[in-house]
Amino acid sequence: MPKKARDGNDTSGLLHYLYGPGKRDEHVDPHLVAAWDPDIKDPARSPDMTLTDLALILDAPVLALRGRKPSRHVYHVAVRNPPEDRTLTDAEWARVARELMHAAGIDPHGDEEGCRWVAVRHADDHIHIVATRARQDGRQPDISWDIIKMHDVARRFEVEFGLRRLTHGDGTARKWSRTGEAEKAARRGLQETARETLQRTVREAAAAATSDSDFFARLGAAGLRVQQRIAPDGNVTGYSVALPGDRDGRQQPVWFSGSRLASDLSLPRVRERWQTPAVSRPIAAAEAWKAAEAKVRQAALQLGAGGLYQGAGDVAALGDLVVVAAVIAPRMVRDQIRDAAREYERASRAPVARSLEGQARELYRESAQVLSRSVAAAGRSDTAAVLGFLLALVTAVEASRRWHEAQEHRSQAHAAGRAGRLLREAVEVTAGAAAAREYKPRQRKASTARARTAPRRAAASERPMAEVVQQAVPTHARAVLADPAWPALRGRLKKIEQAGEDPAEVLAAVAGRRELRSADSVAEVLTWRLDGWRKERGAPAAATGKSPSTAAAGGAGGSGPARRTGTPAPSRRSPGDDQQRKGPKRAR
C-alpha cells in the first residue's frame, strides 16, 4: 500500500532519519534496495559514500535549476505490506520501487533524464522511496495522478507476489490511525490508539441501540465523553466522542466525530439502524442463544434475495449482529469473535446504496436485540446453545461472502472469508470445551493406575504422538500427519499428556464431538478443539485461585452468578480497559 507523505525540503535530514535508529529504535539494518542509478553506493555498506554525499547527489538537479526552484522538492513515499503478508526480498522490493517511480512519472523507464531517487529498507514489511522533484534535464516531472497510478501498480504486484489483495476507491475502507496517534499510544503503553478504542466502543453502542437516547446513553455508560451537535431548531445533527484523559498539546480533549471514526458511524448512518424498529418479544435469558440461532439461520437463507440494495442492508445488519455477539460471547471465544467482528467490518459496508427494509435485515436486527438485552445469558447459557448460534453465524457470514462474490465486491468477500475462518475457530474451541465438560475417563484398577502413572508422566515427552493420532482417529490419521498444522496439534497433545491425561482418549473425545469430513484441515480443527478442551479443563483450577473461572466469568455453559440486567450498554468494560491496565493512568 503506497502512502505519499507531504513534500519537504530537507533531503539530508530525511535520509539521516531513515538510516538512523528511528524514534524508538525500530529501524533495523537500514540499507539501500534500489536507486535511479544501479551503480550508486549504499552509505550503510560502503565507506566511500556518506548520507550527506548521497543527499547532495540527489539534490544536484534541483541546485542546477535555472530560475525559481521548488520550495518543497523532496518527494517521499512509504510502501507497506500488512502483517499477514509474506516478507518480500530486497530484489522484490527493488522491482516494486522501480515500477512505482515509473508509474508516478518520477523516473519513467528508458528515460535517462528522469528524477533521482533511492529506496531505503529498514524493516521487513516496508520501504521508503525518496526522490527530488527536478529532472536531470532541468524540467519538472509530470506527477499528475501519481498516487492513483502507484496504487494500480501495487494491485498488480499483489497478484504476482501472492499477497493480500486490497481495493481502493470504493469508500468502504477502514479509517486507520495516523502515525502520531500510534506513537502516542505506544508512549502511554496502550495496545491500540484512541481512534481504534473509540471505533470499537461506538460501533458496539450503535449495534445494540434502539433510539438516539439509547445510543447516547450507551456511549456515556461505556465511559466516553460525548458532545452532541444541536441545530438552532433543537434537533441533534451530529456528535463527537473523546476518551477521558486523551488530550492534545494544548491539554484539550481530542474529539472525533462519528464520520471521522468510520463512514457508517456518522449520526445519519447510525440512525439507519433503528429507522425501521426491530420488533422482538421479551425472552428468557437462557433461551436467547437458541432464539437468535433460529432467526440467523432463517435470515441466512434470505440474504440478498431482494436484490443488490436489499443485500447491502442485510450485510450491514449482519455486521451489527457479529459485533453484539462479540460483546456477550463466552470468554473462552470472545477474542476470536471480536477479531471476526473487526474483520467483518469491511464486509458490512457494501459500495452501493442500502435498503433499510427486508426480512433478512429485520431478522438480524431482532437477533442483535435479543442478545443485547440478555447479557446475563453469557454466564448461564449451556455450551450446546452457544455452539448452535455460532454455527448459524458461520452460515450467515458464508452466505454474505457468496453474495459479495456475486456482486464482484472483492475486498468485502475477502473480509467475510477472514471473519468466517475466525468464527469457525470459535465453533471448534466451543466444541472442544463441550467435550471436556462431558468427558468421563475410563475407569482403571487402582493398582494398575498407580503403576502406569509415574512411567507415563516420566516418558511424556518421548511418547510418539503419531501413534496417538492413529489410535484416536484412524480414519484421518494419514491426512493429519501430512498436514502443515500437524506440529501445532502435536504440541497440544504433548501438553495434554504432561497434564496427566491420556492424549489418545482426549483426542478421540474431541474428534467425536462433531464431524470432521467437511474440514479443510482436520489437524487445524483438532488443534482448535484441544484449545477449547484445555481452557475448559483449566476452569476449575482457576476458580480456586485469585482469577475467576471461565464459567463464572462468562464461559460457555458456566453456572456462575448471573449479571444484573436492565438497560445498560452491552459492554460493562470501560473502553480501552485491557490496554489501560498495562499502561500509566490517564490524566484527567
Side-chain angles (χ1 to χ4, degrees):
M1 179 62 72
K3 182 178 180 181
K4 184 179 175 183
R6 286 181 294 183
D7 292 340
N9 55 16
D10 186 0
T11 308
S12 178
L14 179 55
L15 289 176
H16 276 83
Y17 169 73
L18 296 178
Y19 273 89
K23 295 183 178 180
R24 296 177 302 279
D25 296 324
E26 71 275 20
H27 295 178
V28 179
D29 185 26
H31 59 279
L32 217 62
V33 294
W36 84 99
D37 181 352
D39 295 325
I40 200 74
K41 295 180 179 180
D42 185 356
R45 299 177 178 178
S46 173
D48 300 327
M49 178 71 73
T50 67
L51 291 173
T52 302
D53 292 337
L54 181 58
L56 288 173
I57 295 173
L58 287 169
D59 284 340
V62 179
L63 300 175
L65 288 175
R66 296 180 179 179
R68 186 175 180 181
K69 297 178 175 57
S71 59
R72 294 185 175 273
H73 65 277
V74 180
Y75 186 90
H76 179 198
V77 177
V79 192
R80 185 181 300 272
N81 282 347
E84 60 269 26
D85 278 350
R86 68 176 177 85
T87 300
L88 301 185
T89 65
D90 281 354
E92 288 172 327
W93 276 121
R95 280 193 58 205
V96 171
R98 293 189 189 99
E99 292 299 325
L100 290 179
M101 291 297 93
H102 165 71
I106 293 293
D107 186 18
H109 293 331
D111 185 352
E112 297 182 357
E113 301 297 330
C115 299
R116 297 180 176 183
W117 59 271
V118 294
V120 180
R121 182 180 189 180
H122 54 212
D124 286 340
D125 62 348
H126 70 278
I127 60 171
H128 292 264
I129 305 176
V130 180
T132 47
R133 291 180 54 179
R135 290 172 50 85
Q136 297 178 71
D137 57 8
R139 295 186 293 117
Q140 289 293 309
D142 180 8
I143 58 172
S144 56
W145 304 100
D146 55 343
I147 192 65
I148 294 177
K149 295 174 182 176
M150 285 191 286
H151 275 275
D152 290 338
V153 171
R155 303 293 82 77
R156 295 199 299 269
F157 274 118
E158 288 165 1
V159 176
E160 179 182 346
F161 293 160
L163 308 177
R164 176 176 174 179
R165 298 177 65 183
L166 306 178
T167 300
H168 65 281
D170 66 0
T172 65
R174 183 182 183 88
K175 295 196 175 182
W176 300 99
S177 299
R178 297 177 179 176
T179 302
E181 295 169 2
E183 292 174 349
K184 182 178 182 181
R187 288 196 304 270
R188 303 181 68 181
L190 307 180
Q191 293 182 349
E192 66 180 8
T193 65
R195 182 191 295 267
E196 291 170 326
T197 301
L198 292 171
Q199 282 175 338
R200 173 168 47 80
T201 308
V202 173
R203 189 171 298 282
E204 290 173 357
T210 57
S211 64
D212 281 23
S213 58
D214 186 23
F215 173 60
F216 289 119
R218 288 174 181 271
L219 293 180
L224 303 187
R225 302 184 65 176
V226 183
Q227 280 186 342
Q228 298 182 23
R229 186 167 63 251
I230 302 177
D233 61 1
N235 290 324
V236 179
T237 60
Y239 72 99
S240 297
V241 290
L243 282 179
D246 184 28
R247 299 180 180 275
D248 58 19
R250 298 174 297 174
Q251 293 302 304
Q252 297 298 315
V254 180
W255 294 98
F256 290 85
S257 64
S259 59
R260 282 184 62 200
L261 295 176
S263 59
D264 58 343
L265 292 181
S266 65
L267 188 57
R269 289 290 302 274
V270 168
R271 282 172 169 162
E272 287 180 357
R273 291 164 165 86
W274 51 80
Q275 182 170 322
T276 304
V279 180
S280 58
R281 62 180 179 82
I283 191 169
E287 299 296 320
W289 294 107
K290 293 181 181 179
E293 175 191 349
K295 293 178 184 294
V296 171
R297 290 191 183 279
Q298 183 181 353
L301 298 175
Q302 303 172 8
L303 190 148
L308 177 62
Y309 302 127
Q310 182 172 311
D314 294 345
V315 296
L318 177 56
D320 284 344
L321 175 59
V322 180
V323 168
V324 170
V327 173
I328 70 168
R331 190 175 298 276
M332 70 172 61
V333 293
R334 190 171 297 162
D335 288 342
Q336 287 94 338
I337 302 179
R338 178 175 288 175
D339 289 343
R342 179 183 176 86
E343 289 289 355
Y344 194 80
E345 181 185 325
R346 181 75 181 271
S348 69
R349 293 193 289 264
V352 294
R354 299 158 305 285
S355 170
L356 304 183
E357 299 178 356
Q359 192 167 4
R361 177 182 173 86
E362 181 180 349
L363 287 168
Y364 287 139
R365 288 290 297 162
E366 289 178 4
S367 302
Q369 293 301 313
V370 165
L371 293 178
S372 64
R373 287 203 300 262
S374 305
V375 177
R380 293 204 302 262
S381 57
D382 60 77
T383 309
V386 176
L387 182 59
F389 171 79
L390 291 178
L391 284 168
L393 202 56
V394 168
T395 302
V397 169
E398 176 61 19
S400 74
R401 184 190 66 79
R402 293 194 300 268
W403 180 82
H404 279 303
E405 285 184 341
Q407 310 305 323
E408 298 185 353
H409 301 157
R410 191 175 65 195
S411 285
Q412 285 79 2
H414 289 171
R418 294 190 298 273
R421 174 182 167 79
L422 288 162
L423 289 172
R424 286 192 293 274
E425 180 180 349
V427 165
E428 303 303 345
V429 169
T430 305
R437 298 190 69 186
E438 298 174 4
Y439 174 68
K440 294 180 179 179
R442 291 183 300 176
Q443 297 294 326
R444 296 189 180 92
K445 293 181 180 180
S447 59
T448 304
R450 283 194 298 270
R452 290 179 179 177
T453 299
R456 187 179 69 185
R457 289 182 179 176
S461 60
E462 301 175 2
R463 184 175 181 180
M465 291 300 143
E467 293 182 6
V468 170
V469 173
Q470 291 168 349
Q471 177 184 346
V473 284
T475 305
H476 302 282
R478 178 175 296 181
V480 168
L481 297 177
D483 197 303
W486 162 238
L489 175 59
R490 181 174 56 202
R492 302 300 196 281
L493 289 171
K494 287 183 177 180
K495 290 183 179 179
I496 292 289
E497 190 174 41
Q498 290 167 2
E501 295 184 285
D502 187 323
E505 287 187 15
V506 172
L507 187 60
V510 298
R513 183 66 191 182
R514 279 176 24 82
E515 59 87 19
L516 292 168
R517 295 185 304 276
S518 61
D520 294 331
S521 169
V522 174
E524 189 172 50
V525 168
L526 292 174
T527 300
W528 290 337
R529 292 186 191 178
L530 290 180
D531 286 342
W533 175 285
R534 293 178 60 216
K535 288 180 179 180
E536 181 64 33
R537 301 290 277 188
T544 61
K546 295 182 179 180
S547 300
S549 71
T550 302
S559 58
R563 302 179 187 177
R564 290 177 295 176
T565 58
T567 57
S571 175
R572 298 279 185 177
R573 295 169 288 103
S574 298
D577 270 0
D578 295 340
Q579 292 78 28
Q580 290 182 35
R581 292 192 188 102
K582 298 181 180 180
K585 288 186 176 180
R586 298 181 182 274
R588 293 190 178 273

